[in-house]
Amino acid sequence: MSLLEVKDLHTSFRTDDGIVRAVEGVSFEVEKGQTLGIVGESGSGKSVTCLTIMGLNPSRNTISTGEALWKGKNLLTAKPRELREIRGSEISMIFQDPMTSLNPVHTIGRQLIEAIQLHRDLTKRAAHARARELLKAVGIPKADARMDDYPHQFSGGMRQRVMIAMALINDPDLLIADEPTTALDVTTQAQILTLMKRLQEEFGSAVLIITHDLGVVAETADDVLVMYAANVVEQASVDDLFNRPQHPYTWGLMGSLPRLEADLERLTQIPGQPPSLLRPPAGCRFHPRCPHVMEVCKTTVPPLAPSERDPAHLQACHLDQETKDREAAKLLEITMAGAG
Ligand code: SF4
């Protein structure tokens, strides 16, 4: 049995302007120790997918259907108390901006100790020792002295390390990281990703990483879901996605990876903006931005289906296989040239 099995998940929000369908028909599994990346632009539904699984959407205006089976139990129908227990002990989350999760008026040490004592039956002294251990594990130098510092005395990267320490308090089976490195500079970002990878090996947690950056997926994930306008448009192992990308949107994301910027004459950013989810375009939602658009794309939704080359590689695009292979090979050639 998978740790987490999401089946045909749909999430909509009632707004004054109408129904926003933020997630439509998302399915995936996460196994023990696996890292799954969900990648897409802002508004693609990647964060809402995770918030739905965790029961953290505003309940009054949210309609969710499908299943999110956590060790066989459907989180979508779980009672709030059960969800809180699972969130506190088995699934942890790390968000983009640690400042919003840390209390600015309490020291880092106090916040860690309180979180430890909330979840574990430890004396203050033992919790203090555990807090120090965790700060050391996430690479905070002079952890002893820094226990008495306040969040504003830490850099962005160090604050994110503290949040990772908080997330590890319960030795979670699954760590959900929502844009964990977006607010950080490139060097710190690389350090945090390396840290997450090391801790995942050490703690054995599965990781669900949500990002707009395919580079982060390449660094951390085993498998990946590419989302566009509430839908999954491609789903594959990271190796397959990077070696044989099948969808024009993925090609666009790969083309805008920073390491390719030296080759801007041949590569461009994806033109235009993602559509409004109140009134999304008919047919393939990517068609207004797609350089390969055909008439059929404007009227008929391409189903998410196995690629002709590999049944485990899913893609939702009307292009024929020959064109996909040709475009993927072209992109790979440019990528290699850019990397070399
Ligand atoms: Fe582009 Fe058509 Fe494929 Fe959509 S279905 S990605 S518009 S080629």
Side-chain angles (χ1 to χ4, degrees):
M1 184 172 56
S2 300
L3 207 50
L4 176 65
E5 189 174 358
V6 174
K7 294 187 197 171
D8 197 25
L9 186 74
H10 291 250
T11 300
S12 307
F13 300 111
R14 278 187 224 97
T15 71
D16 291 344
D17 297 319
I19 302 272
V20 172
R21 295 183 209 289
V23 175
E24 291 192 304
V26 171
S27 300
F28 61 85
E29 292 178 28
V30 183
E31 309 284 345
K32 196 171 183 294
Q34 180 196 0
T35 298
L36 176 74
I38 305 184
V39 68
E41 287 164 291
S42 132
S44 60
K46 56 191 192 308
S47 293
V48 175
T49 297
C50 291
L51 292 172
T52 305
I53 294 166
M54 297 291 284
L56 291 174
N57 283 315
S59 55
R60 229 165 25 96
N61 299 317
T62 310
I63 311 150
S64 297
T65 61
E67 288 182 315
L69 302 174
W70 173 250
K71 299 177 182 174
K73 181 175 190 53
N74 189 4
L75 298 178
L76 298 194
T77 53
K79 294 192 173 68
R81 184 182 49 79
E82 290 173 312
L83 272 178
R84 270 197 305 277
E85 270 168 26
I86 291 171
R87 282 202 300 265
S89 59
E90 298 175 36
I91 306 178
S92 290
M93 289 193 81
I94 305 170
F95 295 99
Q96 176 177 336
D97 182 4
M99 236 5 213
T100 55
S101 313
L102 288 167
N103 188 333
V105 300
H106 291 154
T107 63
I108 294 291
R110 174 172 169 182
Q111 295 185 60
L112 270 169
I113 290 165
E114 281 180 358
I116 290 168
Q117 287 191 302
L118 194 66
H119 297 294
R120 295 200 164 181
D121 189 17
L122 290 180
T123 62
K124 192 160 183 193
R125 193 190 177 94
H128 193 279
R130 179 74 184 135
R132 265 198 332 255
E133 244 174 59
L134 281 168
L135 285 185
K136 280 185 191 152
V138 296
I140 304 271
K142 302 193 183 102
D144 275 339
R146 303 231 61 186
M147 292 273 286
D148 297 327
D149 284 348
Y150 290 86
H152 74 268
Q153 292 171 288
F154 279 60
S155 66
M158 287 294 158
R159 282 198 290 266
Q160 197 54 294
R161 285 173 193 264
V162 172
M163 290 318 299
I164 295 173
M166 291 257 191
L168 293 175
I169 282 173
N170 281 315
D171 223 344
D173 294 319
L174 175 67
L175 193 60
I176 298 181
D178 190 352
E179 302 277 10
T181 57
T182 301
L184 307 173
D185 63 72
V186 179
T187 314
T188 315
Q189 181 170 336
Q191 289 166 355
I192 294 288
L193 293 178
T194 308
L195 171 71
M196 284 182 61
K197 196 94 197 130
R198 176 171 70 70
L199 292 173
Q200 184 196 14
E201 281 158 17
E202 224 168 88
F203 286 71
S205 312
V207 176
L208 187 52
I209 190 156
I210 304 160
T211 176
H212 66 282
D213 183 350
L214 256 187
V216 170
V217 167
E219 290 292 323
T220 54
D222 304 304
D223 297 281
V224 57
L225 251 66
V226 181
M227 287 191 74
Y228 184 76
N231 290 266
V232 174
V233 294
E234 189 159 5
Q235 189 163 353
S237 71
V238 166
D239 283 351
D240 270 348
L241 190 93
F242 278 87
N243 287 318
R244 280 175 294 281
Q246 299 286 295
H247 196 281
Y249 179 59
T250 311
W251 302 338
L253 290 179
M254 288 177 77
S256 49
L257 279 174
R259 68 195 167 95
L260 298 177
E261 274 176 6
D263 219 348
L264 278 179
E265 278 185 19
R266 283 184 283 170
L267 297 172
T268 51
Q269 303 279 329
I270 305 169
Q273 298 293 325
S276 152
L277 295 177
L278 269 171
R279 284 166 213 78
C284 171
R285 290 188 174 172
F286 188 53
H287 87 250
R289 303 172 75 188
C290 181
H292 302 275
V293 60
M294 303 170 287
E295 277 313 306
V296 63
C297 308
K298 298 176 187 169
T299 53
T300 310
V301 178
L304 185 67
S307 128
E308 283 178 31
R309 296 279 175 259
D310 174 4
H313 189 145
L314 307 180
Q315 49 77 47
C317 174
H318 291 305
L319 284 175
D320 60 78
Q321 192 59 51
E322 207 180 304
T323 309
K324 288 174 185 163
D325 288 347
R326 196 177 54 241
E327 290 298 320
K330 221 193 295 176
L331 186 64
L332 206 62
E333 196 183 307
I334 296 171
T335 308
M336 300 301 275

